[in-house]
Amino acid sequence: MIGPAIAAAVAAGLAALPFFVSDYSLGLMIGMTGYVTLASAWALFSGHTRYISLATVAFYGTGAYTVAVLNEMMPYPAVLTCAAAIGAGLALVVGLSTLRLAGIYFVIFTFGLAELVRQVITWYEVNITGTLGRYIFLDITARGIYWQMLALAAVTIALTAFIRRHRLGLALKVIGDDETVAAHSGINLARTKLVAFTLSATIITLAGAIASPRWTYVEPVIVFNPTVSFLTVIMALLGGARSGLGPDDGRRAVVPAVRMAVRQLSRHLSGASWPALHRRRVSPAGWHAGHARQVAPVNEKGAGMSMLEIRNATKTFGGLAAVDRVSFSIQQGEVAGLLGPNGSGKTTLLNLVSGALPPSGGRILIAGRDMTGKRADLIARAGVARTFQLVRILPSLTPEENVMVSAVFGAVPHWGEKAREIARAALARVGLDGHHARAAGDLTYLDQKRLELARALAAEPKLLLLDEWLAGLNPTELKEGIALIRSFSETGITILMVEHIMEAVRALCPRCLVMNSGALIADGPTGEVLADPHVIAAYLGEVEDA
Ligand code: ADP
Ligand code: MG
């Protein structure tokens, strides 16, 4: 833990260094501070979300080039402001168009971006201005550059620490673990990613602008050097990208980044090639340790109102109608069972209601509001919570954080101690108290199911969707599970539960709906529905097929 007093002393010490060192050392220090800034800014977005960005040099180079173009036209502070604005603008455009890409596609796009920006600038310079290469005439000393970069590094580290304690930090972590869960907990995926990406890119652009006077002569090939992007990723990963640069483990992140920066600079100055240096200095064990650290877990009441109304809902996948013109409505406080053979469309129907999938046709009204085709986060905030047929928890977050997420982003937003209280209460309710510290990924299957239920509860939902939550439990656990769900229904939550276990359906659901091949084939009191020859035939059909 780095206290504010120590941080201030370290900053003062670093700021005083230029008075005691040679020009050569000052050059090294500028490079190091620059890479600490780049790695921290990179980790601000990519560290938590795990969207590995190779766009660093696209923004860094843009910053440098902005200074090269504008340095003789306006005062220096205005040049920096323009650079930041251009960086933010570029980040918004890039972010809006690419943050839907996942995994390797995002990596490749960001890599291509630097090349694209370089080509565009080269084209512009050759065809429009008729020049290629520009001089930067600024009377900024090496010390001046160092102090600016140091200030930017300090701001980046402070901002990172702030974000980690802010809703944004939690949202980014959740997105990094599971975007589907994030959306279903009420997190606006696009906005969250865009804000973090833009902040990160703006800092990186400013770093490029601040460093640019060191070059004197600037050309697209020089400033858009992809090595910058790769080095930034390597440093951030070695530092523990998910740890960020917060006060808790700041040293763990800063020290390796500084070490890498020193190596890189000494390479530049000695002329040794990067791969040779890499072989000499970084042992394979070091690599694995760095990677392991990065991937390891950081670890209403009022009857008579229609809570859910589905009108002719349809979902087609290619030619197959997984949900075929289904209509029904569920009153407030009702507990309804949704039955049907495997593949009959039950999960798909829940997906339409929760916003995981947009319907191909029909309408879905929640508490009287038309939510057809709305995003999952909006539906979550309208009071819908769900569990998933294949249990989905946030493995690298603690159980408490897992549950806090829906208290923070759900229908009724809370923050700080209040959110924590709600999370603890929900954990206790499902029998998971005493698991506070561990990573959720370490929990047993049953406990993960409980955790998922606690997360749904902490959202204080009006409508709870359960997708075979009781599946896979042994007889004792099943009894406990049934009692648990009954205790929720007694508080007035409306429940729609997909369930195969008839014992549970009879015990919990006065009403049953049955689907077969996408269509609703029965709806009524459970006893009658289960005795219906059509329903029996649908189930028998499945037995015969099997
Ligand atoms: P159930 O939950 O009743 O077992 P599902 O809703 O999971 O059934 O599936 C209904 C049908 O829709 C199945 O034939 C399944 O293969 C198909 N299906 C479900 N989701 C998708 C998807 N994302 N893409 C294509 N087909 C799907
Ligand atoms: Mg299913």
Side-chain angles (χ1 to χ4, degrees), residues 331-356:
Q331 301 305 109
Q332 184 150 39
E334 239 188 312
V335 179
L338 182 56
L339 281 64
N342 282 326
S344 57
K346 307 177 298 294
T347 297
T348 305
L349 185 68
L350 292 197
N351 284 341
L352 299 184
V353 175
S354 77

Side-chain angles (χ1 to χ4, degrees), residues 55-64 87 90-91 94 113 197 201-202 204-205 208 224:
T56 305
V57 82
F59 295 103
Y60 188 77
T62 299
L90 182 63
V94 170
L113 180 70
F197 186 69
T202 307
I204 291 170
T205 310
F224 293 99

Side-chain angles (χ1 to χ4, degrees), residues 248-260:
D248 301 335
D249 32 23
R251 270 160 305 165
R252 266 204 300 148
V254 175
V255 172
V258 169
R259 208 178 288 144
M260 287 297 294

Side-chain angles (χ1 to χ4, degrees), residues 346-347 389 467-468 498:
K346 307 177 298 294
T347 297
Q389 184 170 354
D467 198 350
E468 303 194 28
V498 173

Side-chain angles (χ1 to χ4, degrees), residues 39 42 52-54 56 228-238 241:
W42 181 89
I52 304 299
S53 166
L54 289 177
T56 305
V228 174
S229 297
F230 287 108
L231 275 176
T232 302
V233 177
I234 290 166
M235 285 181 204
L237 291 184
L238 287 181

